[in-house]
Structure formats: structure tokens, C-alpha cells
Amino acid sequence: RIGFIGLGAMGAPMARRLMKDHRLVVFDQLAHRNQAFVDNGVAAVSSPQAMVSQASVILLSLNASACNDVITELLPRLTPEHVIVDCSTTSPAQAIAAGEAVASSGAAFLDAPVSGLPARAVDG
């Protein structure tokens, strides 16, 4: 199963694309964003930590501050079977630090920043 954390202007359309062909589980701090996916048959979890037991590949689409916070929350539960794909637009230094932190847990990290307009995310 694929996990997706961050269902904002860019994350929600990306997650909607994934749910067409994959089993998906989602999390966003704003409950109404989760509910929009639950209403379409997608599972939601109550926290980033809960995501770790539900998905082996976890995508992040967050602002820089939230990205740091979520990675910190994920770290204690990550295993070598996990892959974190960070689609957040962060600085190179922040991406390197996040990658090193995730690697220290044994998990893999992929920095895959997304930029552009939300309409492009909708269009795919």
C-alpha cells in the first residue's frame, strides 16, 4: 500500500492520481482533507506515525516546516522496508538532512520535489 501525507493544493491531486491504480492510505492535519478521500473509499490514518504500519512507500507533500516535523515523527517507526518519497519543495540542505535522518533508520529516502501550479498536478 502507498501512503500519502499532505493533501493540500499539490498533494491532493497527486494522491487522487495514485488512488486510481493503487491501494492508498492518507493523512493530513486538516480532517476535512482526509474525509474527502475516505468518502471515495480510501483509508485514512490518525497520525503520521500510524502511517508507518499501513504503508511501505510513503510520499510527503508538505511545506518545509511540516516536512521536518513529519519526518521526525516517522523516524522511530521506520524500518529497512520503508521508502520515503519527499515531494515537498525544500532547500537542498533540508533534503540532505532529511535523507541522512531517514537513512539512519535503515529506510530509503528519495528527494523528488514538485514545483509548478496546482492545475498541473490536477492535469497530471
Side-chain angles (χ1 to χ4, degrees), residues 5-7 27-34 48 62 66 69-70 73:
I5 299 176
L7 303 172
F27 173 78
D28 194 282
Q29 287 184 327
L30 300 176
H32 72 277
R33 291 180 178 172
N34 294 321
L62 303 161
D69 293 345
V70 166
E73 291 179 47

Side-chain angles (χ1 to χ4, degrees), residues 6-60:
L7 303 172
M10 295 297 282
M14 292 167 60
R16 278 193 290 277
R17 287 268 176 197
L18 288 171
M19 71 185 239
K20 291 179 181 180
D21 297 315
H22 303 281
R23 289 182 45 218
L24 190 65
V25 59
V26 297
F27 173 78
D28 194 282
Q29 287 184 327
L30 300 176
H32 72 277
R33 291 180 178 172
N34 294 321
Q35 192 60 48
F37 283 84
V38 170
D39 291 346
N40 286 287
V42 174
V45 293
S46 59
S47 68
Q49 300 93 330
M51 181 71 72
V52 175
S53 66
Q54 299 295 313
S56 57
V57 176
I58 301 171
L59 288 88
L60 309 177

Side-chain angles (χ1 to χ4, degrees), residues 4 10-11 14 58-64 67 71 84-96 98-99 109-117 120-121:
F4 206 103
M10 295 297 282
M14 292 167 60
I58 301 171
L59 288 88
L60 309 177
S61 182
L62 303 161
N63 66 46
C67 188
I71 288 174
I84 304 301
V85 181
D86 185 9
C87 300
S88 309
T89 303
T90 59
S91 71
Q94 183 174 348
I96 290 167
F109 179 84
L110 176 63
D111 182 32
V114 174
S115 64
L117 302 172
R120 290 185 183 153

